[in-house]
Amino acid sequence: MDAEGFGELLQQAEQLAAETEAISELPHVERNLQEIQQAGERLRARTLTRTSQETADVKASILLGSRGLDISHISQRLESLSAATTFEPLEPVKDTDIQGFLKNERDNALLSAIEESRRRTFATAEEYHRESMLVEWEQVKQRILHTLLASGEDALDFTQEAEPSFLSDTGPSGRSALDSVEVAYGRQIYVFNEKIVNGHLQPSLGDLCASVAERLDDKNVSEMWAMVKQMTDVLLVPARDALNSRTSVEMQMAFVSRALQFLEQSYKNYTMVTVFGNLHQAQLGGVPGTYQLVRSFLNIKLPGPVPGLQDGEVEGHPVWALIYYCMRCGDLVAAMQVVNRAQHQLGEFKNWFQEYMNSSDRRLAPTAENKLRLHYRRALRNNTDPYKRAVYCLIGKCDITDNHGEVADKTEDYLWLKLNQVCFEEDSTSSPQDRLTLPQLQKQLLEDYGESHFAAGQQPYLYFQVLFLTAQFEAAVAFLFRIERLRSHAVHVALVLYELRLLLMSSGQSARLLSQEPVDPPMIRRLNFIRLLMLYTRKFESTDPREALQYFYFLRNEKDSQGENMFMRCVSELVIESREFDMLLGRLEKDGSRKPGVIDKFAGDTRAIISTVAREAENKGLFEEAVKLYELAKNPDKVMGLMNKLLSPVVSQVSAPQSNKERLKNMALAIAERYRTQGISAEKSVDSTFFLLLDLITFFDEYHAAHVDRAYDVMERLKLVPLSQDSVEERVTAFINFSDEVRHNLSEVLLATMNILFTQYKRLKGTTPASPARPQRALEDRDSQLRTQARALITFAGMIPYRMAGDTNARLVQMEVLMN
């Protein structure tokens, strides 16, 4: 633009400004250059947005139109699509239109049936999913509960065990996780099971375990097993189950009697040790027996006169002290000897004691008992002689609130005194302070006093003794099991009780280690024996599976909540955890015979156990292990079915040494050879699929090795795909009968076959011109044949009712075009 043009533009602008200023109705707007620039940018952006959308639509139309697609038609079809997610009944027609009415009713009936079927399918799938989640959650709960070692609190100890892994071993191979005590116990369990398995007379498990304590040279353990043997040496009362037997009066009286015998013998041993350790002070002499032993013991315990003691002395010792300690040693005859010597000072006590000594249940007749209790309440309750009060309370079973701390200064003394006061007969005439039942004593010791009173953490053996001697076997075992260093003792005490049918077991495996069920009588506790055993073996089952199997054999008669045999279930988990398939279950030799495993000793029908383990391995996705196990269990259908699943994904892969395909191929060939030699066959469809997959592996091996002619011959013999137009229909019909394992590889088979044809075509085109040996006509016929075969493959790929990999058809068409 020249200077005149600029001048004219300036003149017009000044004129426009003058006219604008003359109009007073319009507001005067002033903007600087920056504001004008921003406004212009906004206008430009608004115009560009509208233009870019239109440009994009134009570009899309051009692109899709070049591919033969009509944009307007596609838009109309998309708009006509309904977004309804369910089938809706058709609109009814007029009643006069009979044909339309019938058609509408038929369509409505079909749609209603489809909708109902759809609803039922979704409901069934949801139910299956819910059941699967419940089963899985039950298994997770079991793993969580297996770490719950506390008996009274839901305290999870996540440091006890690690989550089992199928990828790596939990510890160094060849190193046992058992300590010396556990090894010693395990040896006795092996001896016990050997006798049972071989049909010999069942030995005493208690004696076998007690022999371990003798070799350990541990006084506490030896005393514990002596107590266990004493308490379990009772006649089993015939009953429907262990609960009725344990709660019977006869059984409870036997337990109390055994506990008293143990405490009395222990105290007698204690007095002997004390006396023989202080012979000078004891001045032992006279006729050997309990009386002389107690007299010498009192020379040490009561060396001088004690104030408050009554009724004189016998040979220089307080008469009631002599009577009490003779009774404490369990010798009533010796106590009667003291009574006879001092009968003039004792009044009517001699008659009462004579009756007490001669009674079978250490109980006076009701008349004499009431008379003694009355005399005690009137004259002796506040007596200054503690031994006299203790003896009267023992014989009359009265004043149960008095703990007699001056005399019973140790826990064993207190326990002996209270067990002597326990009553079993219903007696309405007795007052509450004169009646102590076994459940009351159990509650007092377990709940009222508890672990803190007895300092159970510092004295575990003492608290175990307190519970065990009061027939609280389950609580005693559960307590001892919680202490890591004493766990092996607890487990074997539980095994002894279980074998003697004295153990009360939890009704469900998911229960806590020590539980109480609502229907049980008060103070009855139950032990989750199955969980106890599984927790104990978890420590060493991966390193010492043979020993774990010995313990699992005790569960051969137990079942879980689903009714499955616990022995078989534990063996299954043990085999999968330890991966010791050959050692535990046996292995197949080259000739097809089975070499026995450890399990053969424990089970007559090993096939059932092996099948259970195989199913478990299959459910966990360990298919190769499951194949070997199913072959051990002589189940060819499952063997070939699983091998088909394993082979299908690797059929078309390139074989390489140590590869997954190479390993599976060798495994499959070995199975095929064994089955062919032994004449074993599976179900026809499974069998044919297995051998077809093996043939396809051979085909792909030749193909990857560039042996195209040999690969072509294999495919021609398999007759899997058509190699002529005449056989297309036949192959499409046959395709329906192929399994999914074969169909999965169809895309690769078609591409490999087309590649072979294309390679042969290129090789044909690259040969020298026609010669007398190969006339032109032969070359043309071969060329025509290859192209016909390629067209047959294309036709086959389009006709089969199967969705192949995305670019398969395109690649097939591309190679077929190159051949034309």
Side-chain angles (χ1 to χ4, degrees), residues 14 26 110 178 365 410 696 809:
E14 290 174 349
L26 294 177
L110 288 173
L178 295 166
K410 292 185 178 180
L696 284 176
N809 288 323

PDB file of all heavy atoms in Angstrom, residues 14 26 110 178 365 410 696 809:
ATOM      1  N   GLU A  14     -10.193   9.299  11.118  1.00  0.00           N
ATOM      2  CA  GLU A  14     -10.494  10.512  11.865  1.00  0.00           C
ATOM      3  C   GLU A  14     -11.956  10.900  11.710  1.00  0.00           C
ATOM      4  O   GLU A  14     -12.595  11.340  12.675  1.00  0.00           O
ATOM      5  CB  GLU A  14      -9.579  11.649  11.394  1.00  0.00           C
ATOM      6  CG  GLU A  14      -8.120  11.455  11.808  1.00  0.00           C
ATOM      7  CD  GLU A  14      -7.215  12.520  11.205  1.00  0.00           C
ATOM      8  OE1 GLU A  14      -7.669  13.266  10.311  1.00  0.00           O
ATOM      9  OE2 GLU A  14      -6.039  12.577  11.623  1.00  0.00           O
ATOM     10  N   LEU A  26     -24.452   6.420  22.811  1.00  0.00           N
ATOM     11  CA  LEU A  26     -23.580   5.256  22.963  1.00  0.00           C
ATOM     12  C   LEU A  26     -22.488   5.550  23.994  1.00  0.00           C
ATOM     13  O   LEU A  26     -21.956   6.656  24.028  1.00  0.00           O
ATOM     14  CB  LEU A  26     -22.908   4.899  21.630  1.00  0.00           C
ATOM     15  CG  LEU A  26     -23.851   4.410  20.525  1.00  0.00           C
ATOM     16  CD1 LEU A  26     -23.051   4.178  19.237  1.00  0.00           C
ATOM     17  CD2 LEU A  26     -24.525   3.094  20.945  1.00  0.00           C
ATOM     18  N   LEU A 110     -41.017 -66.174  23.315  1.00  0.00           N
ATOM     19  CA  LEU A 110     -39.590 -66.431  23.115  1.00  0.00           C
ATOM     20  C   LEU A 110     -38.737 -65.467  23.926  1.00  0.00           C
ATOM     21  O   LEU A 110     -37.784 -65.865  24.599  1.00  0.00           O
ATOM     22  CB  LEU A 110     -39.237 -66.317  21.625  1.00  0.00           C
ATOM     23  CG  LEU A 110     -39.735 -67.444  20.716  1.00  0.00           C
ATOM     24  CD1 LEU A 110     -39.464 -67.108  19.264  1.00  0.00           C
ATOM     25  CD2 LEU A 110     -39.023 -68.746  21.086  1.00  0.00           C
ATOM     26  N   LEU A 178      13.953 -80.432  63.145  1.00  0.00           N
ATOM     27  CA  LEU A 178      13.629 -81.035  64.434  1.00  0.00           C
ATOM     28  C   LEU A 178      14.795 -80.887  65.412  1.00  0.00           C
ATOM     29  O   LEU A 178      15.953 -81.080  65.027  1.00  0.00           O
ATOM     30  CB  LEU A 178      13.312 -82.523  64.259  1.00  0.00           C
ATOM     31  CG  LEU A 178      12.061 -82.869  63.447  1.00  0.00           C
ATOM     32  CD1 LEU A 178      12.062 -84.340  63.080  1.00  0.00           C
ATOM     33  CD2 LEU A 178      10.806 -82.526  64.215  1.00  0.00           C
ATOM     34  N   ALA A 365     -20.205 -91.979 106.794  1.00  0.00           N
ATOM     35  CA  ALA A 365     -21.652 -92.097 106.632  1.00  0.00           C
ATOM     36  C   ALA A 365     -22.289 -90.754 106.943  1.00  0.00           C
ATOM     37  O   ALA A 365     -21.740 -89.954 107.725  1.00  0.00           O
ATOM     38  CB  ALA A 365     -22.191 -93.188 107.561  1.00  0.00           C
ATOM     39  N   LYS A 410       2.368 -75.116 100.331  1.00  0.00           N
ATOM     40  CA  LYS A 410       2.779 -75.276  98.924  1.00  0.00           C
ATOM     41  C   LYS A 410       1.561 -75.596  98.067  1.00  0.00           C
ATOM     42  O   LYS A 410       0.542 -76.075  98.570  1.00  0.00           O
ATOM     43  CB  LYS A 410       3.817 -76.391  98.795  1.00  0.00           C
ATOM     44  CG  LYS A 410       5.156 -76.057  99.442  1.00  0.00           C
ATOM     45  CD  LYS A 410       6.170 -77.144  99.172  1.00  0.00           C
ATOM     46  CE  LYS A 410       7.527 -76.787  99.768  1.00  0.00           C
ATOM     47  NZ  LYS A 410       8.533 -77.852  99.517  1.00  0.00           N
ATOM     48  N   LEU A 696       1.253 -82.376  15.623  1.00  0.00           N
ATOM     49  CA  LEU A 696       1.424 -80.957  15.300  1.00  0.00           C
ATOM     50  C   LEU A 696       2.772 -80.436  15.804  1.00  0.00           C
ATOM     51  O   LEU A 696       3.390 -79.575  15.161  1.00  0.00           O
ATOM     52  CB  LEU A 696       0.284 -80.135  15.922  1.00  0.00           C
ATOM     53  CG  LEU A 696      -1.060 -80.231  15.217  1.00  0.00           C
ATOM     54  CD1 LEU A 696      -2.128 -79.455  15.967  1.00  0.00           C
ATOM     55  CD2 LEU A 696      -0.965 -79.715  13.776  1.00  0.00           C
ATOM     56  N   ASN A 809      -6.307 -63.602   8.924  1.00  0.00           N
ATOM     57  CA  ASN A 809      -6.917 -63.582   7.583  1.00  0.00           C
ATOM     58  C   ASN A 809      -6.176 -62.630   6.649  1.00  0.00           C
ATOM     59  O   ASN A 809      -5.957 -62.943   5.461  1.00  0.00           O
ATOM     60  CB  ASN A 809      -8.390 -63.175   7.679  1.00  0.00           C
ATOM     61  CG  ASN A 809      -9.246 -64.284   8.277  1.00  0.00           C
ATOM     62  OD1 ASN A 809      -9.006 -65.470   8.010  1.00  0.00           O
ATOM     63  ND2 ASN A 809     -10.221 -63.924   9.086  1.00  0.00           N
TER      64      ASN A 809
END
